């Protein structure tokens, strides 16, 4: 099964995608992680991508799309995948459809996560990620703190705050970009009949693990 995780930053896309990947064996393909790895390694792609990421803007399609296409060709994605952070625009979605059509594949489910805006901002400000790129575990200092402060439960590496997670100004800019460029994808996939919208919020006592459990039960037909 081929799945797309949608939702503004801080809604828990990565958490849900990680849980689904762990239970199904389908790889979690996050463009954000790929970009950050290239930035850290100072590759040509990373240097170009960082110019956009540092200012809170989306990385252009000429960098993003070929990267995703190559990733989908890898062996571990042949039986299914979970895209986390792509597509972000209608143009990217159309390009993804073309890529999959050439492989006689399609998107089977789009999980759209929603969270109240102020809660989203607080989640991002208190988010910490594992510095080990092979691990990629995500924590929240309030909702899902590590057992040992500053240390990843899974691999023992240092937890860090992403640079673009540290200020309300940067976060608000990213959320505004999401509203104008990515939110139209809701209608795009709704028309295709593959959209599933789930609210993730402490106000309704429903978190990412609840969503992941429900999706897994539906996939298994339980």
């Amino acid at each position: 099964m081929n799945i797309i995780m949608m939702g503004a930053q801080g809604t828990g896309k990565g958490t849900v995608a990680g849980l689904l990947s762990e239970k199904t064996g389908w790889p979690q393909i996050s463009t954000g992680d790929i970009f950050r790895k290239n930035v850290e390694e100072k590759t040509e792609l990373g240097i170009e991508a960082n110019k956009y990421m540092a200012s809170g803007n989306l990385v252009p399609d000429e960098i993003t799309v070929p990267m995703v296409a190559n990733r989908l060709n890898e062996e571990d994605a042949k039986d299914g995948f979970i895209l986390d952070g792509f597509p972000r625009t209608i143009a990217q979605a159309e390009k993804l459809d073309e890529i999959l059509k050439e492989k006689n594949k399609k998107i089977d489910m789009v999980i759209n996560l929603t969270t109240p805006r102020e809660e989203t901002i607080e989640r991002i400000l208190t988010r910490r990620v594992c510095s080990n790129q092979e691990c990629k575990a995500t924590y929240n200092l309030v909702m899902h703190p590590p057992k040992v402060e500053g240390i990843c439960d899974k691999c023992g590496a240092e937890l860090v705050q992403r640079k673009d997670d540290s200020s309300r100004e940067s976060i608000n800019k990213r959320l505004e970009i999401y509203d104008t460029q990515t939110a139209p994808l809701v209608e795009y996939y709704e028309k295709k009949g593959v959209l599933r919208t789930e609210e993730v919020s402490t106000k309704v006592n429903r978190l990412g693990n609840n969503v992941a459990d429900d999706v897994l039960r539906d996939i298994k037909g339980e």
Side-chain angles (χ1 to χ4, degrees):
M1 178 173 279
N2 304 319
I3 297 174
I4 291 173
M5 293 299 311
M6 275 187 58
Q9 296 89 344
T11 55
K13 295 191 304 298
T15 297
V16 176
L19 289 169
L20 292 175
S21 177
E22 183 179 330
K23 298 293 185 180
T24 63
W26 302 327
Q28 175 186 359
I29 301 175
S30 168
T31 52
D33 287 339
I34 296 173
F35 290 150
R36 280 186 286 274
K37 182 177 181 180
N38 277 270
V39 169
E40 290 176 0
E41 295 177 354
K42 296 186 179 351
T43 65
E44 183 177 348
L45 174 64
I47 292 171
E48 289 301 310
N50 192 45
K51 295 176 183 178
Y52 298 90
M53 293 169 61
S55 58
N57 293 316
L58 297 178
V59 178
D61 290 357
E62 56 264 30
I63 297 175
T64 306
V65 174
M67 180 186 300
V68 173
N70 290 337
R71 180 65 182 87
L72 295 180
N73 282 331
E74 295 185 21
E75 182 68 17
D76 66 341
K78 69 176 184 177
D79 295 325
F81 56 78
I82 304 166
L83 281 172
D84 171 16
F86 183 92
R88 292 176 184 255
T89 65
I90 296 294
Q92 288 183 353
E94 292 173 340
K95 204 68 180 177
L96 177 61
D97 286 344
E98 293 175 11
I99 292 169
L100 294 177
K101 187 176 181 180
E102 292 178 358
K103 304 174 184 294
N104 293 316
K105 296 182 178 181
K106 62 182 178 62
I107 294 299
D108 300 296
M109 181 187 295
V110 177
I111 304 171
N112 176 42
L113 303 183
T114 64
T115 301
R117 180 56 53 92
E118 188 55 36
E119 185 175 338
T120 298
I121 293 172
E122 292 302 321
R123 283 183 175 208
I124 296 174
L125 287 171
T126 54
R127 179 167 61 188
R128 298 294 183 271
V129 297
C130 181
S131 57
N132 176 6
Q133 286 295 319
E134 298 300 319
C135 177
K136 304 185 297 185
T138 302
Y139 300 85
N140 184 283
L141 299 182
V142 177
M143 298 169 58
H144 175 46
K147 294 177 182 177
V148 178
E149 184 177 353
I151 302 298
C152 177
D153 294 348
K154 294 183 177 181
C155 72
E158 180 186 7
L159 298 182
V160 297
Q161 183 179 40
R162 295 170 183 164
K163 183 178 180 181
D164 53 356
D165 284 354
S166 60
S167 76
R168 285 181 174 268
E169 182 180 0
S170 174
I171 293 169
N172 274 314
K173 184 172 183 178
R174 288 155 59 197
L175 293 175
E176 288 171 4
I177 291 174
Y178 176 82
D179 288 340
T180 57
Q181 297 188 22
T182 310
L185 283 171
V186 171
E187 182 178 0
Y188 180 85
Y189 285 114
E190 191 170 36
K191 288 180 178 178
K192 289 179 174 291
V194 295
L195 185 73
R196 174 181 182 143
T197 297
E198 301 277 358
E199 181 175 358
V200 179
S201 172
T202 55
K203 292 182 178 180
V204 296
N205 195 29
R206 184 166 173 76
L207 303 179
N209 60 309
N210 304 124
V211 174
D213 288 343
D214 286 348
V215 170
L216 284 168
R217 278 194 290 268
D218 288 348
I219 289 174
K220 296 176 181 178
E222 297 179 354

